[in-house]
């Protein structure tokens, strides 16, 4: 939530009469403690991330912040995602598309990675990066 709030604040001072939304998504998995996967640094890093997520459950956490004249609110949403076993060839083919390079965890569930997904528990829009189920009620309160 902290980074989402920082992003919103960085813009809000210029638009003090407007509604400003900030969001930040992280992917994390548990193995001897929690490990966070940010955006891949390069293709090798993207392949490493996807191999790590292969045949494993992970969480996608999106922090969301809304700043408006009436409120400043920050919250988060968590979704559990399980990937099926993926071959190195599948991973390499997906990484070669370039799609993973600007995505937390190295994948886009709304894109080519949807075929890797075995199960989702929670909000798909959260995994995409903007949890509409969380944002909607906040915006409704601003009416």
């Amino acid at each position: 939530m902290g980074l989402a709030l920082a992003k919103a604040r960085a813009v809000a001072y210029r638009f003090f009469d407007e509604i400003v939304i900030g969001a930040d998504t992280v992917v994390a998995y548990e193995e001897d403690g929690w490990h966070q996967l940010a955006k891949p640094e390069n293709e090798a890093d993207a392949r490493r991330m996807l191999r790590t997520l292969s045949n494993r459950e992970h969480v996608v956490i999106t922090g969301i912040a809304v700043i408006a004249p009436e409120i400043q609110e920050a919250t988060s949403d968590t979704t559990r995602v399980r990937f099926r076993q993926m071959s190195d060839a599948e991973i390499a083919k997906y990484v070669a598309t370039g799609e993973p390079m600007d995505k937390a965890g190295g994948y886009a569930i709304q894109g080519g990675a949807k075929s890797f997904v075995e199960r989702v528990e929670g909000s798909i829009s959260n995994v995409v990066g903007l949890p509409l189920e969380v944002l909607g009620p906040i915006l409704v309160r601003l009416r």
Side-chain angles (χ1 to χ4, degrees):
M1 290 187 307
L3 192 50
L5 190 55
K7 287 179 176 182
R9 284 180 177 156
V11 175
Y13 79 94
R14 293 176 43 203
F15 301 95
F16 56 90
D17 284 337
E18 303 294 330
I19 298 170
V20 176
I21 300 166
D24 191 64
T25 301
V26 298
V27 173
Y29 66 96
E30 190 172 17
E31 181 179 291
D32 299 324
W34 284 96
H35 303 273
Q36 183 176 319
L37 298 174
K39 295 176 183 178
E41 295 177 11
N42 52 44
E43 288 188 359
D45 195 31
R47 287 190 300 272
R48 177 194 62 80
M49 287 182 185
L50 291 166
R51 278 193 302 273
T52 298
L53 296 176
S54 179
N55 200 36
R56 180 190 300 262
E57 184 176 279
H58 59 280
V59 294
V60 179
I61 306 164
T62 301
I64 187 163
V66 177
I67 297 176
E70 305 86 20
I71 69 160
Q72 177 174 303
E73 187 170 336
T75 189
S76 65
D77 194 27
T78 301
T79 302
R80 293 189 171 282
V81 179
R82 179 164 180 87
F83 276 3
R84 64 172 173 78
Q85 182 71 45
M86 299 176 286
S87 71
D88 285 342
E90 285 178 299
I91 291 170
K93 183 177 179 181
Y94 177 60
V95 170
T97 69
E99 186 176 82
M101 300 315 299
D102 64 342
K103 311 288 187 296
Y107 76 92
I109 199 167
Q110 72 276 21
K114 66 183 163 228
S115 67
F116 302 151
V117 177
E118 191 173 90
R119 182 180 71 249
V120 175
E121 296 175 17
S123 167
I124 292 285
S125 68
N126 179 47
V127 182
V128 173
L130 189 61
L132 300 177
E133 300 86 350
V134 172
L135 178 60
I138 296 170
L139 296 178
V140 166
R141 288 196 304 272
L142 292 174
R143 286 182 152 185

